[in-house]
Amino acid sequence: MRTQVAIVGAGPAGLLLGQLLYRHGIDNVIVERRSADYVLGRIRAGVLEQGMVELLHQAGVGARVDAEGIPHDGFEMALGERRVRVDLAALTGGKRVTVYGQTEVTRDLMAARREAGLTTLYEAEEVALHGIESESPHLECRYNGEWMRLECDYIAGCDGFHGVSRQSIPATKLTTFERDYPFGWLGLLADTPPVHHELIYARHERGFALCSMRSAERSRYYLQVPAGERVEAWSDDRFWDELSRRIPREVAAQLVTGPSLEKSIAPLHSFVAEPMQHGRLFLAGDAAHIVPPTGAKGLNLAASDVSVLHRLFAAIYHQGRTDLIPRYSPTCLRRVWKAERFSWWMTRHLHDFGQPLDFDERVRQAEFDYSLGSHAGLTTIAENYVGLPYETLE
Ligand code: RFL
Ligand code: PHB
């Protein structure tokens, strides 16, 4: 089999790239390790920046996010009983975010891909990248029990943090930067009305809690739990009880509980691999970088990488601009590092790190208090939360 761009991974990054390339008349094939149902079963992100919603429109899949996504003009931060609203629209000249599940983004992109008749090889096993330093790279994998070879001009590594693409770059050519956090997030999805019409990020002495949603009838909540915690240790009752203790009393009084549809624990991690391109391989999304979910940036960064990458491929195929290739990585990394900083900042201020009440902790408290009490501080939070501008290649 032969294509112009071989894409590894059918998560949001791979599917969105495939759709944008198709709109530019660039042929592509996606190779995905899991089944489509498995990919759709992963409950992950829920907050889309405006830039990502615009990109979904460019990809021809904007109709459902417009109809069913919930625009949010603000969110709240709670510290114990104190509540501070971050008025995104007022602080950023009218920008907002949209609450729309990653699952739904994926579903829309999969449907568009099917309609366009583009090839996706699901349940492809032992995917391997070859010749990325040559002019004719190819992928090999086992598909339907048989070995197959996919010839291409370029490979897009959109296969997430545990994928094979990043590992195919010689270790001597990569520099990685990382930080682990001593806790994870326990998430619960339920068909209950959200406790509040906006998201609430709560800092509490018992640990962080987040009140989010998917629709007017479906809520998504998260609790900080120690690293290594087992999800079996958390009955629904224990979850609801702990959540009520961590959010302001007047909010807890509004909480409607119900049976969970899904419960899972995600570890928190910051990670960046540089550069994001080697030879004819380009990394995008979680394959190149991970952020803790506190800033709602992971999916949005995958989208901004893809925005740069599809424009690069369009310039290569339509204008012969291979000279732009070295600009891919530095262009993406400028935005990636700003999102890493914001996600780290939100994580540091909202979670309990078991920090003794020493000088550093007092300074941290003062910094957070300053940020929430100052117009300049709130503007910085709002600008980052709605999403910094997309970088351009030229
Ligand atoms: P994905 O979604 O991990 O998709 C990668 C795909 O590649 C496949 N794959 C392979 N295929 C072939 N061969 C191999 N060897 C392969 N290895 C892997 C995988 O099966 C998969 O289908 O990466 P992508 O596309 O870069 O998308 C990234 C986002 O999924 C991720 O950043 C976000 O979910 C992060 N995130 C959030 N981001 C936001 O922007 N806003 C949020 O509100 C938000 N909340 C979250 C989150 C992530 C969370 N978890 C579970 C880590 C909340 C949580 C709890
Ligand atoms: C979610 O709804 O899943 C969600 C929202 C905001 C975050 C992280 C996750 O920061």
Side-chain angles (χ1 to χ4, degrees):
M1 198 187 277
R2 184 174 163 86
T3 188
Q4 290 176 303
V5 179
I7 301 174
V8 190
L15 288 165
L16 183 55
L17 178 65
Q19 215 49 35
L20 289 161
L21 292 181
Y22 164 71
R23 308 273 286 193
H24 283 285
I26 300 167
D27 188 46
N28 61 88
V29 169
I30 300 185
V31 178
E32 162 64 49
R33 179 165 65 172
R34 305 287 191 175
S35 68
D37 283 345
Y38 182 95
V39 172
L40 283 173
R42 292 190 293 230
I43 309 294
R44 288 186 171 178
V47 176
L48 311 187
E49 295 171 355
Q50 212 157 298
M52 175 161 187
V53 174
E54 281 159 23
L55 200 60
L56 291 173
H57 277 277
Q58 284 172 35
V61 292
R64 212 158 68 90
V65 65
D66 276 359
E68 294 177 30
I70 317 169
H72 279 225
D73 286 339
F75 70 90
E76 280 191 27
M77 304 246 221
L79 286 98
E81 297 302 317
R82 176 180 170 205
R83 296 170 69 179
V84 177
R85 180 162 187 267
V86 182
D87 190 333
L88 296 172
L91 292 161
T92 64
K95 294 200 183 126
R96 41 167 54 173
V97 293
T98 301
V99 170
Y100 188 67
Q102 175 169 334
T103 314
E104 302 312 313
V105 173
T106 309
R107 198 186 306 282
D108 296 346
L109 286 164
M110 280 180 176
R113 192 166 177 87
R114 241 188 337 266
E115 212 165 288
L118 299 171
T119 308
T120 313
L121 308 177
Y122 284 103
E123 299 183 83
E125 295 172 76
E126 297 175 59
V127 177
L129 286 65
H130 296 283
I132 56 175
E133 291 172 350
S134 76
E135 298 210 334
S136 47
H138 70 274
L139 293 184
E140 275 176 5
C141 65
R142 209 143 51 82
Y143 184 63
N144 277 338
E146 296 193 6
W147 282 102
M148 68 157 294
R149 183 181 166 109
L150 175 61
E151 312 270 355
C152 56
D153 302 329
Y154 298 97
I155 299 175
C158 302
D159 47 351
F161 182 63
H162 299 288
V164 64
S165 298
R166 189 181 66 253
Q167 291 164 27
S168 306
I169 300 177
T172 52
K173 305 284 184 191
L174 271 190
T175 307
T176 59
F177 302 85
E178 51 194 314
R179 169 154 302 183
D180 278 322
Y181 300 90
F183 42 74
W185 278 20
L186 167 65
L188 180 145
L189 187 72
D191 274 337
T192 54
V195 68
H196 187 61
H197 68 283
E198 292 185 334
L199 271 66
I200 303 177
Y201 291 80
R203 184 188 167 99
H204 190 273
E205 58 194 22
R206 298 180 67 91
F208 168 77
L210 170 61
C211 306
S212 181
M213 67 194 74
R214 289 292 177 272
S215 69
E217 299 85 35
R218 182 166 287 187
S219 23
R220 179 74 168 158
Y221 298 103
Y222 295 97
L223 291 176
Q224 172 186 353
V225 292
E229 183 80 325
R230 287 168 51 250
V231 72
E232 294 75 34
W234 288 83
S235 65
D236 289 358
D237 284 347
R238 182 177 174 203
F239 186 98
W240 294 118
D241 184 52
E242 186 62 30
L243 178 66
S244 320
R245 289 165 181 242
R246 295 187 189 184
I247 57 182
R249 270 193 290 277
E250 59 184 357
V251 178
Q254 305 295 319
L255 185 65
V256 181
T257 64
S260 61
L261 302 170
E262 192 262 3
K263 231 174 359 202
S264 54
I265 295 183
L268 265 63
H269 198 53
S270 296
F271 175 88
V272 181
E274 297 185 8
M276 289 171 59
Q277 169 261 331
H278 180 70
R280 294 209 166 208
L281 169 64
F282 297 82
L283 302 177
D286 280 14
H289 40 72
I290 296 284
V291 286
T294 330
K297 288 285 160 256
L299 174 61
N300 290 301
L301 273 186
S304 55
D305 289 350
V306 164
S307 163
V308 178
L309 190 52
H310 92 278
R311 281 182 280 122
L312 172 65
F313 283 136
I316 292 174
Y317 282 106
H318 300 319
Q319 298 156 32
R321 296 292 307 273
T322 49
D323 62 299
L324 292 176
I325 289 176
R327 298 214 195 148
Y328 173 70
S329 178
T331 303
C332 290
L333 285 170
R334 268 199 298 278
R335 194 171 191 278
V336 165
W337 273 112
K338 288 176 192 136
E340 289 286 344
R341 183 207 71 81
F342 178 65
S343 304
W344 165 83
W345 190 91
M346 289 281 281
T347 303
R348 187 165 70 105
H349 287 296
L350 286 164
H351 292 76
D352 175 24
F353 281 74
Q355 180 88 357
L357 189 57
D358 57 8
F359 182 86
D360 286 351
E361 174 58 10
R362 277 288 192 230
V363 169
R364 188 206 59 71
Q365 289 173 355
E367 184 190 338
F368 198 39
D369 190 39
Y370 164 74
S371 297
L372 297 186
S374 133
H375 190 264
L378 287 171
T379 303
T380 300
I381 295 171
E383 268 180 9
N384 282 276
Y385 196 81
V386 298
L388 297 175
Y390 278 17
E391 301 277 342
T392 51
L393 272 168
E394 290 193 271

